[in-house]
Amino acid sequence: MRIASLDFLRFFAAFAVAGPHLIIYFSVYEDSIFLETVTSLAVEIFFVLSGFVLCPFLKKIFESTSIVGKNMLVFLVRRWMRTLPLYFLSLAFFFVLFSRKFDLTAFKYMAFMQNFYWSAPDPDYFFVSWSLAVEEWFYILFPVFIFIFFFIWKMAFGLENRPAVYVFGAVSFIAVLTVLRLSSDVPVDEWGKGLRRVVIFRLDSIGFGILLYLFRDCIYRVPPPLILFTVIAAALYLFDAYHRITLGRADALEFRLLIFFATTLFSCAVLSLFLRFEHLFQKRLRGLSIWGGRISYGVYLFHIPIAAIIGKFLDVSGAAFVGLSIITISAVMTLVYYFFEKP
């Protein structure tokens, strides 16, 4: 059964990335820091969403006494069939439109190595791919970490309570990456490229989605007004903090630690708020939510190429361009879903 509220949230987050990018692309609004903060928070929502929806599958694999390796292979094949075909199709569009140089940079994009432990290439013509690299590496590195964690735990304590071991493993995964980020020497002026968009420093954001699923029962014990207050309070802090960090006015503890916990709190609160109103989405917005969830991945990947193609052939005002681009992107990605993704 699909969770309509999360499908709608995925759809909303995709356009919260695409919309500001289009506004910046067509120079409709001057405050780029504000718009870039909106897109950044939308991507953070995607990360927590990914961990939340993947957790039941990974949890089942590691709590089972059957062969872990075989089940992990099935998991990876399913994820790769869901994510890789459209990724490589979009890479082809970005390559043709913005580069046409088959060099080391192109190979890095193909291998998801563009931002593994270093900043993305300059120029970064496939700039939306940084978050996809985080996702793809999480599919591999998180299970590997949990597998090793289970092995060590089994040697030390046994595996009588596999669910608890899985929880401890997820917490340890987040802790290790947090320490790694804290120990980094990335300066504040390189925060965006050198820290926020680097795979090895961001895998924990999806790990928090894993934890949210594991403790999902707690969501329904928190009053919705309190969750909404958390969303608003975290958002107010984040818009201020992103602005200060962008201008180089934040200290190391804030831009290496506090800002990431705040974005996680914001994302988890947003997801929790949508889950609390699942009944409304199921009754009134189910069709729109399912459609939006289906095209969201394509919207995220293709909004810039589609807008660039429109810009080559039409000469209208920036605001009209944005509206036309959004309509075109929605229509094109609907066709792509049914005739490419789904098959």
Side-chain angles (χ1 to χ4, degrees), residues 14 19 34 64 83 96 131 156 175 215 224 246 260 266 277 286 307 313 315 319 331:
F34 175 83
S64 170
T83 59
V96 171
S131 64
F215 295 98
T246 302
F260 293 106
F266 170 81
F277 292 100
R286 178 174 171 78
F313 294 100
D315 184 19

Side-chain angles (χ1 to χ4, degrees), residues 34-165:
F34 175 83
L35 294 173
E36 288 172 2
T37 302
V38 173
T39 64
S40 298
L41 296 183
V43 173
E44 299 298 331
I45 290 173
F46 271 126
F47 285 152
V48 172
L49 257 172
S50 293
F52 190 88
V53 299
L54 291 177
C55 183
F57 304 103
L58 292 168
K59 184 171 178 286
K60 185 176 181 180
I61 289 173
F62 284 98
E63 289 182 5
S64 170
T65 56
S66 59
I67 301 175
V68 171
K70 180 180 178 181
N71 291 332
M72 274 308 309
L73 180 61
V74 172
F75 167 80
L76 288 172
V77 169
R78 286 179 173 175
R79 293 313 304 163
W80 287 335
M81 288 301 294
R82 173 68 183 91
T83 59
L84 295 190
L86 201 61
Y87 175 86
F88 287 118
L89 181 64
S90 66
L91 173 57
F93 273 83
F94 273 91
F95 178 80
V96 171
L97 289 171
F98 304 116
S99 175
R100 299 186 183 181
K101 295 180 180 179
F102 193 77
D103 52 12
L104 180 60
T105 297
F107 176 78
K108 287 180 178 179
Y109 289 130
M110 294 174 64
F112 295 97
M113 294 298 293
Q114 64 269 40
N115 59 320
F116 184 76
Y117 193 52
W118 42 79
S119 300
D122 187 18
D124 184 14
Y125 61 85
F126 194 21
F127 63 92
V128 298
S129 69
W130 75 268
S131 64
L132 276 302
V134 176
E135 296 266 359
E136 296 298 333
W137 280 107
F138 181 86
Y139 302 154
I140 298 173
L141 296 180
F142 179 76
V144 168
F145 181 92
I146 296 297
F147 181 83
I148 295 172
F149 188 86
F150 264 69
F151 177 79
I152 295 173
W153 191 280
K154 181 180 179 180
M155 296 292 291
F157 308 107
L159 289 177
E160 288 75 16
N161 191 346
R162 288 175 178 265
V165 178

Side-chain angles (χ1 to χ4, degrees), residues 307-322:
I309 292 171
I310 292 174
K312 287 180 179 295
F313 294 100
L314 294 178
D315 184 19
V316 294
S317 68
F321 254 133
V322 172

Side-chain angles (χ1 to χ4, degrees), residues 198-243:
V198 172
V199 168
I200 207 67
F201 296 135
R202 300 313 320 281
L203 294 170
D204 62 319
S205 57
I206 306 179
F208 278 109
I210 296 282
L211 287 185
L212 184 64
Y213 180 86
L214 294 174
F215 295 98
R216 63 194 180 282
D217 292 341
C218 298
I219 294 172
Y220 301 95
R221 300 172 190 168
V222 182
L226 181 57
I227 300 176
L228 179 60
F229 173 80
T230 303
V231 171
I232 296 173
L236 290 173
Y237 165 74
L238 287 166
F239 275 94
D240 176 65
Y242 269 70
H243 187 268

